[in-house]
Structure formats: C-alpha cells, structure tokens
Amino acid sequence: MNHRQRTRRVIIGPVPVGGGAPVAIQSMTSTYTHDIDATVAQIRKLAVAGCDLVRVAVPGKKDTDALPEILNQSPVPIIADVHYHYQRALEAVQAGVHKIRLNPGNIADRLQVDRVIAACRERALPIRVGVNEGSIVERSDQRVRAEQRAALTEDPQGQLVRLMVEKLEEYLRIFEENAFHDVVLSAKSIEATVVIDAYRAIAEGFDLPLHLGLTHAGPPETGRIRSIAALGTLLAEGIGDTIRISYAADPVGEVEDAKELLYSLKLRERTGPELIACPTCGRIEVDLIKLVADVRRKLADEIKLPIKVAVMGCVVNGPGECEGADVAVFAGKGKGIIYVQGRQKQTVAEDQMLDALLDECRELAAGVERGEARLSRASVAIASPNPLAHADGSVSS
Ligand code: SF4
C-alpha cells in the first residue's frame, strides 16, 4: 500500500513536501494573527501535537506586521494565507514566511499576481495555488455563469470537478508564464466524494505536490469523518503530499486526527503509545470504558515510546485481538490479568488495574530507554490455569 505517486518536491523552511517526502501535517491557527502571544501559543501547541507546518491568516497590515515576531518564536515553518490583497503576500514574503497560499482568482489583476510570484522566486518560497468549490463558478460574466450553473444541474459532480480542474489549469498558466515551478496544488470542496474525484483528476494531470483537504467540513463530529473519508481514500491510493484535516474546533484536534490517520495507513512511524481496546459487549464484568479513557490519558501524558497497550474486557477474544501488545490487561469478574510481551505478570483487583498496567508500561519504557528491553511483536498466550476461572472451574464467557 505504500506506493506514493511521484510529484515534484518543494521545500517549506526545513520541511520537504512532495517527491517522496513523508506526508506533512498542517493546520491553521484560529487566533487573530496580530495577537502575537495567542498565535504563538497556539502554534506551539500545534507543533507539540505533531503539526509540521502552520498556516496563519493575514487579512490586514497589522497581521503581516506581527509575522516577524511570530516567525522568531515559531518552532515550525509558517505559511501566510492571503486573500484579495496582494500587498499582504508581499509583506509576508518580506517578513520571512516559508510559503504563501494564494488564490489568483481573488487577486485583482494579473500584474499583482506576477509581483507576488517574483517576490517568492527571489526568496525561493513555494506558493500553494488552490481552488475551492465555492469560488469556481464565474461571478462577473452572467452568461458564462448561467451556462455553468445549468451544466452543474445535469452532472453536478462531474461538472464541478471539471470546473475545478479547468480553473486550476487557468491559474497554473500564470505560473508557467512566469517559469515558476515551486507550486503546491489544492482543490477543496465540502463533499468528500468531490474532493476524491478532483484530486484523482489532478494527480493524473499534474506532477505538482498536492495539499489535501476539505473546506468548511463542519463540526468535529462530521468534519472529522468527511475529512478522513476523503483524505484516507486518496492517501491509500498514493495521492497527497501534505494534509489538513479541518473542522470547526480547536485545531490541535485536527493535528491529532491527521497523525492517527497517517499512522493507520502506515505513512508515518508511530512515535507515541498505541492503545487498542475492545468495544465491550455483554460479557463485560468491569467498567472498561472508564479504564480505557484513564489509560489513554495517562499514556499520552507519560509514555513517549511506541508501546502497544491492550485493554480487553475478557479472555474470550482478547488474546487474539491484541496479538503483539507489549503490555495488556484482560479483565473479568472484578479483576484483571496483566501481560507483558506475552507473559503473564500479575493478577490484580479491578481498582488496581490502571496503576498496575501503567507501572508495567513505565517499567518497560525505562528498560527500553536503558537498552535492556525492546518493544516486541510477541503473541499473547493465556496461561493455564485461567485465573479468571470460577471456583468450580467454569469460566465467564
Ligand atoms: Fe466482549 Fe470480551 Fe471481546 Fe471485549 S474482549 S468485546 S468483553 S468478547
């Protein structure tokens, strides 16, 4: 599955994008950029969560004025998001940003776009050129607009994708005429299926690196699913060089979701603990949902190694389902059996399962750090006699 479509490479600060580089995660601040302290604080949180590139909006001069100090304090490359005012792009380039996001369709005239391209060329900065579903239907020419709208009612998705690709081609001609090739492309829609079709078409027609994302995807509950449906499909097909999962909430969650998506598709090496847990069923005899939430929170706070931890509700399906766990607990009848790399270590009461599991994780992590232990892919075999057996020898099932 690890086939990736080969694209050209651009360099954003120290981060390569395209040309076989690891898929980069990006997000966007939700602060006012001119509020330097709030913006830097959010950029730092995004970086800690695993964000490789951060975009900031620069609608006003006071926002571009804030960029030098933001850049000074940012641990990751900064991209300036420009709409309407080409001067903001020039100011952002002057301030030292690492990339510009520009929609030539909302810059007043061609000469202004040319000036931004010239400024980026001088500093070797890439430009992301994007189309959004909402901005591609002709606005100024009423006749063309009527034709496009009519076509959209006949084959809505096909026509929309065709319009998006045509618009990108139109924009790209400006860059080609300027012999400027450090371009990243995007084509966003609120619909996952449109995004999938649009990027498939673009990947076929261009060799430029692709920034994957949806636009206006909604609140986390729906935006997350829409984003992952579209981005996961495309990434699994080898399409996409940098991704943004977006929804209306704290952007740190976007980054955590993007990271998990890349881990799931084996496009990024896991750096922290992996928690697997059973969904529970009618066999459950402990409060597993609470235990899973507690383990997740504690692991995130304390363990920095990719330890695989399994929290299972019983021994019926647990061992097979958490094959390869480094540390596991199989719960039942008010107690749990703790396994470390396939070997049974101890049986504890329900109220001690969290502490016992975490102690084993800490001990294993310390051993790995000292070079005395290795993370494994050991299989789990339940020891006999089964400690969850009732006094009469029967087992809860
Ligand atoms: Fe049910 Fe046991 Fe499977 Fe959990 S591990 S879902 S409790 S059978």
Side-chain angles (χ1 to χ4, degrees):
M1 199 241 67
N2 278 331
H3 163 74
R4 303 265 313 279
Q5 292 216 9
R6 201 74 183 176
T7 53
R8 285 191 212 169
R9 176 170 291 191
V10 300
I11 306 290
I12 304 168
V15 178
V17 168
V23 176
I25 295 173
Q26 58 179 288
S27 185
M28 189 166 180
T29 51
S30 56
T31 55
Y32 291 117
T33 304
H34 58 261
D35 184 341
I36 295 174
D37 289 347
T39 302
V40 168
Q42 195 170 59
I43 291 169
R44 288 195 172 134
K45 279 190 198 163
L46 291 168
V48 167
C51 193
D52 302 304
L53 305 162
V54 174
R55 187 156 44 111
V56 300
V58 287
K61 175 80 166 60
K62 59 185 175 183
D63 298 304
T64 49
D65 284 346
L67 287 175
E69 187 50 34
I70 290 170
L71 284 156
N72 193 30
Q73 296 187 44
S74 171
V76 290
I78 297 295
I79 301 161
D81 190 81
V82 177
H83 284 281
Y84 306 118
H85 305 291
Y86 83 107
Q87 297 96 326
R88 298 292 94 76
L90 297 179
E91 291 156 9
V93 170
Q94 190 64 33
V97 295
H98 303 94
K99 180 183 162 200
I100 297 286
R101 183 263 189 262
L102 190 77
N103 178 352
N106 64 29
I107 301 293
D109 71 47
R110 165 69 190 266
L111 284 178
Q112 294 178 349
V113 178
D114 288 346
R115 286 189 62 188
V116 176
I117 292 173
C120 287
R121 186 205 312 284
E122 204 173 302
R123 300 258 184 146
L125 300 186
I127 300 176
R128 169 155 73 89
V129 180
V131 290
N132 278 6
E133 175 187 333
S135 61
I136 52 162
V137 174
E138 175 64 43
R139 286 185 180 154
S140 53
D141 186 322
Q142 290 300 320
R143 187 184 58 78
V144 176
R145 182 180 175 82
E147 281 173 13
Q148 289 181 339
R149 284 265 172 230
L152 283 173
T153 60
E154 286 162 20
D155 171 17
Q157 186 151 322
Q159 288 296 335
L160 189 57
V161 168
R162 187 178 60 75
L163 278 179
M164 291 168 90
V165 175
E166 279 177 5
K167 189 57 82 177
L168 264 187
E169 285 170 343
E170 182 187 319
Y171 293 161
L172 278 177
R173 275 195 286 278
I174 303 173
F175 291 82
E176 277 158 20
E177 284 163 20
N178 278 278
F180 185 91
H181 306 296
D182 283 345
V183 173
V184 178
L185 298 180
S186 66
K188 298 189 178 184
S189 162
I190 55 172
E191 300 289 349
T193 54
V194 172
V195 168
I196 291 168
D197 283 355
Y199 278 98
R200 280 176 178 161
I202 294 165
E204 215 167 284
F206 305 92
D207 66 352
L208 295 167
L210 300 183
H211 163 114
L212 305 186
L214 273 74
T215 185
H216 309 132
E221 295 75 10
T222 50
R224 176 182 292 128
I225 306 296
R226 284 165 183 247
S227 292
I228 288 174
L231 274 50
T233 301
L234 291 164
L235 288 168
E237 292 175 11
I239 297 171
D241 300 287
T242 175
I243 60 170
R244 181 192 178 194
I245 287 179
S246 67
Y247 43 71
D250 184 341
V252 169
E254 299 177 357
V255 173
E256 289 168 350
D257 290 347
K259 231 162 79 173
E260 195 57 44
L261 175 61
L262 295 183
Y263 290 153
S264 305
L265 292 172
K266 305 258 184 297
L267 287 168
R268 181 172 285 217
E269 195 76 26
R270 191 175 285 279
T271 54
E274 177 179 12
L275 176 59
I276 53 177
C278 85
T280 78
C281 71
R283 295 183 185 86
I284 199 77
E285 292 171 324
V286 298
D287 185 357
L288 198 85
I289 303 292
K290 180 177 182 314
L291 178 64
V292 170
D294 290 345
V295 171
R296 182 180 186 279
R297 188 169 35 79
K298 290 276 193 184
L299 287 176
D301 287 347
E302 289 189 39
I303 305 291
K304 304 301 168 208
L305 297 175
I307 291 180
K308 189 168 181 179
V309 179
V311 178
M312 308 304 286
C314 74
V315 294
V316 174
N317 292 325
E321 288 168 6
C322 69
E323 188 94 356
D326 289 298
V327 181
V329 60
F330 301 92
K333 276 246 168 268
K335 53 186 173 178
I337 322 166
I338 309 279
Y339 279 72
V340 177
Q341 298 192 321
R343 281 184 304 107
Q344 184 187 344
K345 286 288 289 281
Q346 52 178 321
T347 300
V348 296
E350 179 175 356
D351 62 0
Q352 292 164 20
M353 285 194 296
L354 176 65
D355 287 342
L357 189 78
L358 287 166
D359 281 346
E360 296 293 355
C361 290
R362 291 182 194 113
E363 195 179 318
L364 181 61
V368 171
E369 276 161 6
R370 286 195 304 270
E372 294 166 6
R374 288 174 45 198
L375 299 183
S376 75
R377 290 283 171 258
S379 61
V380 177
I382 291 291
S384 180
N386 186 339
L388 294 187
H390 300 169
D392 64 1
S394 66
V395 178
S396 297
S397 64

